[in-house]
Amino acid sequence: MSLPPEPTPGTTASGVTDAENSLEMKEVEGLSQGQIVRRRFFRHKGAVISMIVLATIIIMAFTAVGFDFAVFDLAIKTAGWWQWSWIDIPTPQNGGRPTLSLVPEWLGGDGIRIGDHPFGQDEIGRDIFAVVMRGTQQSVVIMFVVGIIATTIGTVIGAVAGYYRGWVDSVLMRFTDIIITIPLIVIGAVLGLAFGRLGAFVLAIIIGLFTWTGLARLVRAEVLSLREREFVDAARVAGASDRRIIFKHILPNAIGVIIVNTTLLMAAAILLETALSFLGYGVQPPDTSLGKIISENQAAFATRPWLFWWPGLFIILIALCINFIGDGLRDAFDPRQKRMPSAKALSKGRDEKVSS
């Protein structure tokens, strides 16, 4: 009796592949598409932790100092639970230094306490916690509005160009190339100076109209490959319209690319707004943003470094959270992403297959 050949290094035995597929099918058996997506997303620990951190930041920012939103004839204003607003100038305490202390007295610290000004005060006496919360509000609004607008424009243009090809593709891609050739920071500076006084929402709309180009190219490339697949041919034979084929059959299979690049757009938007506000071209006084806070206090870097710690920390946290959430959503929505089972699960699956 001849023995089966040993697998060569770098190859995978067929039993292992069968066991992986069997385990994957068993895990999703009887689940709807939505349940499968949720299950995959919540397995991504980094994405879940980032979602909790981002939700905490957003809730704290929009409830602490209230929400004051005004664009054109629409105005919304709510009160917050924090004792100061971002425009109040209370009496300076503790020399303007932060009153927040997290070191217990038995460890040589000042004890665990928050105080009246946990993030400190600036040179004119404003409470930095209130100012940072207002700046976070504006930056979050810009981030989400830019993400929605840029994703919508980029996805539609990229999908239409990739599906129809020919002269439609040429016109749309040449228009995209024209937008790409203009430096984004220059567009942002010119438009930010012109529209920054109208508020963060209008500034976000303007930025969103010029940040979709990279996503459009990626979606076009993905659609060019997907349009030749068998399921698209089957949809055409069944009489589906072009719009239905694009939005119901092709784009759902490109959702991984779209989601990842949307999160990158959102993270880049908050960094772009920070850069513009630091240069004086973003959100204009009397309002503020995280970049504006850093710009206004740059002269006090050597004497009051806490004026930079907190807005910088919130910028980093928001950008990192958005990227981790995008990574988790990519793994959850993309059917081509597979989770490698553990060695114990593979062994159990092979044993069950042999016994059957």
Side-chain angles (χ1 to χ4, degrees), residues 31-334:
L31 299 179
S32 66
Q33 184 65 30
Q35 290 172 326
I36 295 173
V37 169
R38 286 195 298 269
R39 188 185 184 116
R40 290 175 177 173
F41 178 79
F42 285 111
R43 278 178 175 171
H44 197 295
K45 296 181 180 179
V48 173
I49 294 173
S50 297
M51 185 175 62
I52 295 173
V53 172
L54 182 62
T56 302
I57 292 174
I58 292 175
I59 292 173
M60 183 170 64
F62 281 86
T63 60
V65 294
F67 186 54
D68 190 353
F69 175 82
V71 55
F72 304 120
D73 295 331
L74 177 63
I76 302 174
K77 189 171 184 178
T78 61
W81 49 264
W82 188 242
Q83 57 183 329
W84 316 111
S85 73
W86 69 91
I87 58 175
D88 291 337
I89 305 179
T91 303
Q93 298 182 22
N94 196 30
R97 293 186 297 274
T99 58
L100 176 67
S101 176
L102 301 176
V103 182
E105 294 181 357
W106 58 275
L107 289 178
D110 297 330
I112 299 177
R113 58 186 176 86
I114 296 178
D116 291 335
H117 305 287
F119 290 3
Q121 295 173 269
D122 61 13
E123 293 182 342
I124 62 176
R126 293 184 303 173
D127 179 65
I128 294 299
F129 176 80
V131 175
V132 169
M133 291 300 101
R134 176 60 177 178
T136 302
Q137 285 183 15
Q138 301 294 76
S139 297
V140 166
V141 167
I142 290 174
M143 178 183 67
F144 279 106
V145 173
V146 169
I148 293 171
I149 293 175
T151 300
T152 301
I153 298 175
T155 300
V156 172
I157 290 181
V160 171
Y163 183 80
Y164 288 105
R165 298 188 297 185
W167 69 269
V168 175
D169 182 24
S170 298
V171 171
L172 292 178
M173 286 301 101
R174 297 299 77 75
F175 174 68
T176 302
D177 292 339
I178 292 174
I179 301 299
I180 290 177
T181 56
I182 307 175
L184 186 57
I185 192 68
V186 175
I187 297 176
V190 173
L191 299 178
L193 187 62
F195 298 98
R197 295 186 182 276
L198 298 178
F201 186 80
V202 176
L203 178 62
I205 293 175
I206 300 301
I207 294 176
L209 293 176
F210 290 90
T211 53
W212 51 267
T213 52
L215 179 60
R217 286 188 163 217
L218 291 170
V219 171
R220 172 185 175 271
E222 194 74 8
V223 171
L224 282 173
S225 64
L226 290 173
R227 73 185 302 276
E228 306 299 335
R229 301 285 291 273
E230 292 81 0
F231 65 89
V232 176
D233 292 335
R236 289 196 189 99
V237 172
S241 63
D242 290 344
R243 185 176 66 176
R244 182 174 181 83
I245 292 174
I246 292 173
F247 292 100
K248 294 293 185 180
H249 297 281
I250 295 181
L251 288 182
N253 286 277
I255 194 68
V257 172
I258 295 173
I259 287 179
V260 170
N261 285 276
T262 296
T263 55
L264 292 175
L265 274 173
M266 295 171 69
I270 193 171
L271 297 177
L272 175 61
E273 183 278 326
T274 299
L276 291 176
S277 296
F278 181 80
L279 296 173
Y281 299 124
V283 177
Q284 301 295 316
D287 219 327
T288 189
S289 68
L290 294 176
K292 190 69 176 176
I293 298 170
I294 296 176
S295 175
E296 290 175 345
N297 297 289
Q298 58 180 322
F301 179 78
T303 57
R304 299 190 176 192
W306 58 85
L307 299 178
F308 296 83
W309 295 344
W310 300 111
L313 176 63
F314 276 80
I315 291 170
I316 294 172
L317 282 176
I318 293 172
L320 285 178
C321 287
I322 289 294
N323 285 330
F324 276 117
I325 291 172
D327 192 35
L329 289 173
R330 189 268 320 272
D331 293 347
F333 278 102
D334 193 344

Side-chain angles (χ1 to χ4, degrees), residues 15 19-20 22-23 26 341-356:
E20 291 177 4
S22 177
L23 286 172
K26 186 179 294 184
S342 63
K344 183 178 179 181
L346 284 173
S347 177
K348 183 178 179 181
R350 287 195 297 266
D351 293 342
E352 289 178 355
K353 183 179 179 181
V354 171
S355 61
S356 61

